[in-house]
Amino acid sequence: MTAQTVFPPPQPGPGGPGPSPATSAGRPGLGDRPAGPSLSPSRAADFKTCPLLFRFRTIDKLPEQPSADQVRGTLVHAVLERLFDLPAADRTPQAAAALVAPEWDRLVAHDPRLVSLFATEPAPRPSAAPGPLSTSGQPTSSPSGPLPTSGPLSSGTAASGTPSSAPAGEPAAVSSPLGDPAAAVAPAAGAVSAGDAAVVASQGAATAVPPLVRDPAAVAAEVDATGQLALVDAPPGAAEAARLAAFLSSAGDLLPGYFAVEDPQRLEPAERETLISTMIGDELLIRGYIDRLDISPAGDLRVVDYKTGGAPREAFEGRALFQLKFYALVLWRTRGVVPRVLRLLYLKDAEILDYSPEADELERFERTLVALSQAVERAKSTQDFRPKPSRLCGWCNHQAFCPEFGGTPPPFPQSPTAGL
């Protein structure tokens, strides 16, 4: 998930279970930096995906403006968590739909900046100068060749487990009735955020900010989430309200996909939005948040992760399973039980992906995390975080700082934070 504000714990509904340890809208705990090395699923996946992206997010802490698609994922996760606060008989599609507006109001109350996602006019941006891009808008210096100008991409996180986010919902490939989705919202979706531009100016990393090179699926996902298409016939002065209404409607449209694959009236989750952690050896702390944990009467564990994106998800399914294996390892080490099922629920397509890990597989995964942490520490000691071009570059918000796009990383911090 993308929102990092700490919310008060939810209150139980009448007859419902007690409050969850955390909420999907605000996750206290992960912001507390441990003294030694630590890994979360999102940061570990960042380093595997691109060491330079890991540096930008974890060491430089460059600001990232959450997209409407990410915030929609956060909203849907919050609705599904609140749904289980209701008595079992009341967990209906209508009840879930009724939770969308109040959960959105709760998000905005704790972070009023979210309303700016639907502003009629985008915030002022610095003038953009062309970078080393070809006439097609793709980088010409990438050792892996140009980024694809088409081809669907989608993910699993948002909340958590996505390249844009982690957390909070994931980009989904959607079609646009107006033709090329990039043409529909290129000015809004293809500009560097004001926060990134400010960092560039203050650190002297660049004199001009080149436009982002966006994957069409990332642009299309934002079209879908922000309701850009609703602006076609919107009267003057009503565009912002139309975009917000379309956003809330698009969040509600994902809920039937959940009810198509699960019956919440027959479920009583043991834990929701739970922070779990453990130590590997005496040095490495691993931790993360589980969307939902089910425990059968026989003691079997099922880890459930909600994904608001849709198929095809070839580029992200491995990342999502990496995240779930991370959780399975922590549960195994802390509770002595290997989870029976790791479940991905894809709401957009109403699909379930189940995976059953084995103990020897988790042992190998544990060694992988140790090696990954050691690689991170070596990169920190040498200040060597190299870019790793891939299809996922089209989702990255930090192209202005990336050498693959003609950018220059900011100066390496003198004392980078140990905890990751």
Side-chain angles (χ1 to χ4, degrees):
M1 316 304 292
T2 58
Q4 294 297 321
T5 51
V6 177
F7 285 5
Q11 298 301 316
S20 302
T23 71
S24 55
R27 294 179 161 182
L30 282 181
D32 302 327
R33 300 290 182 179
S38 69
L39 283 176
S40 69
S42 56
R43 296 293 79 84
D46 282 346
F47 191 82
K48 286 167 56 68
T49 299
C50 175
L52 186 59
L53 173 63
F54 173 92
R55 180 199 148 171
F56 287 158
R57 285 179 167 169
T58 306
I59 297 177
D60 297 305
K61 299 181 177 62
L62 297 184
E64 292 189 21
Q65 177 67 30
S67 69
D69 193 44
Q70 291 172 312
V71 175
R72 178 175 61 180
T74 301
L75 175 59
V76 172
H77 276 70
V79 168
L80 292 178
E81 184 187 1
R82 287 290 187 272
L83 182 67
F84 285 100
D85 285 339
L86 301 176
D90 295 341
R91 299 170 194 163
T92 63
Q94 296 77 16
L99 290 171
V100 172
E103 285 304 305
W104 170 249
D105 291 341
R106 194 173 68 90
L107 286 175
V108 172
H110 288 273
D111 191 353
R113 295 170 298 175
L114 293 178
V115 298
S116 66
L117 292 169
F118 310 99
T120 303
E121 295 296 334
R125 303 180 182 92
S127 59
L133 305 177
S134 67
T135 55
S136 65
Q138 301 297 341
T140 58
S141 61
S142 171
S144 299
L147 292 173
T149 56
S150 64
L153 292 176
S154 62
S155 96
T157 186
S160 335
T162 81
S164 40
S165 99
E170 58 283 344
V174 295
S175 60
S176 168
L178 299 184
D180 180 8
V185 290
V192 175
S193 70
D196 279 359
V199 173
V200 174
S202 64
Q203 297 178 331
T207 56
V209 181
L212 287 178
V213 178
R214 280 299 192 201
D215 187 282
V219 178
E222 198 70 354
V223 172
D224 179 50
T226 58
Q228 289 278 1
L229 303 182
L231 299 180
V232 175
D233 299 318
E240 183 172 347
R243 294 180 69 186
L244 176 58
F247 167 80
L248 296 178
S249 176
S250 70
D253 289 344
L254 291 170
L255 297 174
Y258 169 72
F259 286 90
V261 295
E262 280 194 338
D263 182 0
Q265 294 184 344
R266 302 179 62 182
L267 295 170
E268 287 298 341
E271 299 175 26
R272 290 171 281 137
E273 291 295 334
T274 301
L275 174 64
I276 58 174
S277 64
T278 191
M279 295 292 296
I280 296 179
D282 297 327
E283 296 182 358
L284 177 60
L285 172 68
I286 59 174
R287 56 183 180 171
Y289 275 94
I290 294 179
D291 285 350
R292 199 181 86 209
L293 180 65
D294 300 334
I295 303 179
S296 74
D300 294 329
L301 305 183
R302 180 172 64 192
V303 180
V304 180
D305 198 68
Y306 305 123
K307 302 299 178 187
T308 53
R313 357 168 234 283
E314 292 84 357
F316 299 98
E317 197 164 272
R319 182 183 176 109
L321 285 176
F322 177 90
Q323 174 187 3
L324 290 183
K325 289 180 184 179
F326 197 104
Y327 299 149
L329 174 61
V330 176
L331 290 171
W332 181 38
R333 290 307 189 197
T334 56
R335 308 190 185 196
V337 178
V338 174
R340 175 65 61 88
V341 176
L342 307 179
R343 171 166 291 184
L344 293 167
L345 292 183
Y346 288 98
L347 306 185
K348 189 176 182 67
D349 295 330
E351 291 183 5
I352 290 179
L353 173 63
D354 281 345
Y355 183 82
S356 297
E358 301 289 342
D360 57 349
E361 178 184 8
L362 295 182
E363 286 181 344
R364 293 192 299 270
F365 186 76
E366 184 176 65
R367 293 193 293 270
T368 297
L369 293 184
V370 171
L372 189 64
S373 176
Q374 292 171 345
V376 169
E377 294 305 307
R378 286 194 300 269
K380 287 171 58 180
S381 65
T382 60
Q383 302 183 10
D384 184 8
F385 290 87
R386 300 182 184 183
K388 185 178 178 181
S390 72
R391 296 173 62 198
L392 301 183
C393 292
W395 301 91
C396 183
N397 289 304
H398 303 304
Q399 293 173 13
F401 302 96
C402 180
E404 294 297 324
F405 292 84
T408 302
F412 198 84
Q414 294 297 318
S415 300
T417 303
L420 304 179

